[in-house]
Amino acid sequence: MTCGCFGSHHCFGSKSIKKKRRPSYFTPEIGGHPLDNVRNFSDEELRLATSNYHANNKIGRGGFGTVYQGTLKDGRRIAVKTLSVGSKQGVREFLTEIKTLSNVKHPNLVELIGFCIQGPSRTLVYEYVENGSLDSAILGTRSTNMKLDWRERSAICVGTAKGLAFLHEELAPHIVHRDIKASNVLLDRDFNPKIGDFGLAKLFPNGITHISTRIAGTTGYLAPEYAIGGQLTKKADIYSFGVLILEIISGQSSARTNMGGSHKFLLEWAWQLHKEGKLLELVDPDMKEFAEKEVIRFMKVALFCTQSAASRRPLMTKVVDMLTKEIQLNEKEITAPGFFIDAGESSRKKSYPDNYSISSRAVSITQVTPR
């Protein structure tokens, strides 16, 4: 079968391939619009760049496939994401995603460079981001933990917020990412954050405020109204971002179940410390010097973002302002955060005290399902 690398006669490194009539969906354009912002790679080019997808070049694995680092002939470093053959992303959806990302350029978003389709295989090519994921930098093992200082951590929070604000409010149509988490935020050589992995992203045309969709994303970051009712809005990303701020400041995973020596998850523990006026107890002990007032402000912004009622969460442009300007936050306006429990976690419930309430509704004292 001829590969779908659109017009490339060298995908297999052979000139003996006979031309076959291509199915109508193998086309380098969508709706009459050519995909001219991204490069159409041949399979041969990508195998050459990654040493035939050698295990030593593997840098990550996600729900949709494996990521390899590589180097093009011109010396440019790339990250090559091979989508699982079992992935249900069809050719048209795959191309639509490419078209969407090919028009998205922002310093806090990972840049899509190109793609290749060959047989059942689909490959995306992104810019290479030197310092890997925020997950390994802050939440990883002691050997991978980069011990980032407050200046770097605060800049990561602000940059990620700016990237999300761009997706939510500046692009048309707007994009809801649906999977904001530490492993999907990459750090460049200067530790500037770049949001990546748009495999679950949804487009929001003008006038559409919410989409009812199947639940997708990572538990521990899921907004309760989305996890339970499938109502997807920008506010689901904002909730996930609030959880992410707390992870960045504490150096702890949102899925960890024993915060502060109690049977509490990170967000629940943060809420308790907020009520007790002890938020600084959440700060990562590896962070030796920091501006206390600023750190507390960032944590309160996180609590604004994770409120149980989606309507109370601020838009991302407002969040950027709250993080970057000396705005007096009206903390009396902060209401309890929402949590979500997976009913399948019954085996873990026994370890919780009797007064630990569990509900299938979006209430404020329930369990966040671990990743």
Side-chain angles (χ1 to χ4, degrees):
M1 176 181 176
T2 304
C3 105
C5 288
F6 307 141
S8 170
H9 299 294
H10 306 290
C11 274
F12 295 94
S14 169
K15 296 180 181 177
S16 62
I17 300 170
K18 291 181 181 177
K19 263 194 168 183
K20 294 182 181 178
R21 210 176 75 171
R22 296 178 182 181
S24 60
Y25 53 72
F26 280 102
T27 166
E29 57 181 42
I30 299 173
H33 299 288
L35 294 170
D36 52 7
N37 290 338
V38 288
R39 183 169 160 188
N40 186 4
F41 287 92
S42 70
D43 182 63
E44 182 184 25
E45 283 178 286
L46 297 183
R47 288 189 178 279
L48 193 63
T50 59
S51 302
N52 205 24
Y53 297 106
H54 196 280
N56 288 347
N57 285 324
K58 184 175 173 181
I59 54 175
R61 182 168 184 82
F64 286 95
T66 307
V67 183
Y68 298 85
Q69 64 178 328
T71 306
L72 297 174
K73 282 184 177 178
D74 63 6
R76 183 175 188 181
R77 297 187 74 188
I78 55 172
V80 181
K81 181 179 173 184
T82 59
L83 300 187
S84 307
V85 174
S87 171
K88 291 199 170 78
Q89 279 192 303
V91 173
R92 185 165 292 281
E93 290 81 3
F94 176 74
L95 293 177
T96 301
E97 179 180 339
I98 292 168
K99 185 176 188 317
T100 301
L101 291 183
S102 72
N103 292 319
V104 174
K105 297 285 187 286
H106 188 275
N108 297 116
L109 302 177
V110 174
E111 181 187 353
L112 178 70
I113 298 170
F115 65 96
C116 180
I117 299 178
Q118 177 174 342
S121 301
R122 319 211 194 299
T123 307
L124 294 169
V125 182
Y126 292 98
E127 65 173 314
Y128 179 75
V129 185
E130 293 83 352
N131 275 314
S133 75
L134 178 60
D135 184 63
S136 61
I138 288 185
L139 309 178
T141 61
R142 288 292 164 197
S143 61
T144 63
N145 195 307
M146 294 182 180
K147 298 195 171 36
L148 301 178
D149 61 25
W150 173 240
R151 183 184 59 80
E152 291 162 332
R153 294 189 201 214
S154 60
I156 291 168
C157 290
V158 171
T160 307
K162 287 179 176 177
L164 264 180
F166 176 78
L167 291 174
H168 285 187
E169 298 171 52
E170 293 181 48
L171 275 182
H174 306 312
I175 294 178
V176 174
H177 187 279
R178 273 213 300 179
D179 204 14
I180 294 298
K181 59 181 177 181
S183 58
N184 283 342
V185 176
L186 305 179
L187 304 174
D188 71 10
R189 64 166 65 97
D190 299 316
F191 297 100
N192 297 310
K194 291 176 176 281
I195 300 169
D197 201 338
F198 286 76
L200 298 178
K202 288 287 184 185
L203 302 181
F204 276 65
N206 284 338
I208 301 296
T209 57
H210 73 275
I211 293 175
S212 293
T213 180
R214 67 181 180 83
I215 311 305
T218 304
T219 49
Y221 294 92
L222 287 175
E225 77 283 351
Y226 174 50
I228 294 159
Q231 293 283 303
L232 179 67
T233 70
K234 299 171 189 175
K235 299 300 181 82
D237 276 355
I238 294 166
Y239 178 97
S240 303
F241 175 70
V243 173
L244 186 65
I245 291 179
L246 295 176
E247 289 187 319
I248 291 169
I249 290 174
S250 68
Q252 300 291 341
S253 166
S254 62
R256 190 179 164 200
T257 60
N258 197 29
M259 293 300 300
S262 67
H263 293 293
K264 287 182 168 61
F265 288 88
L266 179 61
L267 180 53
E268 188 186 6
W269 180 236
W271 178 246
Q272 180 176 322
L273 291 176
H274 167 67
K275 289 192 296 183
E276 295 173 357
K278 299 177 181 176
L279 271 175
L280 287 175
E281 289 186 18
L282 202 69
V283 175
D284 188 343
D286 281 344
M287 201 161 64
K288 303 300 182 189
E289 294 181 11
F290 53 89
E292 292 187 2
K293 284 186 177 178
E294 193 176 16
V295 169
I296 289 172
R297 186 170 91 245
F298 273 55
M299 288 193 279
K300 286 177 179 175
V301 171
L303 293 174
F304 270 111
C305 291
T306 52
Q307 293 177 100
S308 182
S311 60
R312 297 187 67 89
R313 298 173 206 150
L315 292 174
M316 284 309 304
T317 45
K318 179 69 172 174
V319 171
V320 172
D321 284 346
M322 293 163 81
L323 293 174
T324 58
K325 297 177 181 176
E326 289 292 331
I327 296 173
Q328 186 65 41
L329 301 181
N330 186 359
E331 58 188 87
K332 291 179 182 175
E333 291 291 313
I334 304 176
T335 56
F339 301 96
F340 164 65
I341 180 172
D342 183 345
E345 288 287 298
S346 55
S347 61
R348 298 177 46 132
K349 292 175 188 173
K350 294 172 186 174
S351 66
Y352 286 79
D354 293 337
N355 63 353
Y356 194 83
S357 71
I358 291 169
S359 170
S360 61
R361 292 177 295 111
V363 295
S364 61
I365 313 277
T366 51
Q367 203 182 71
V368 182
T369 315
R371 282 177 272 193

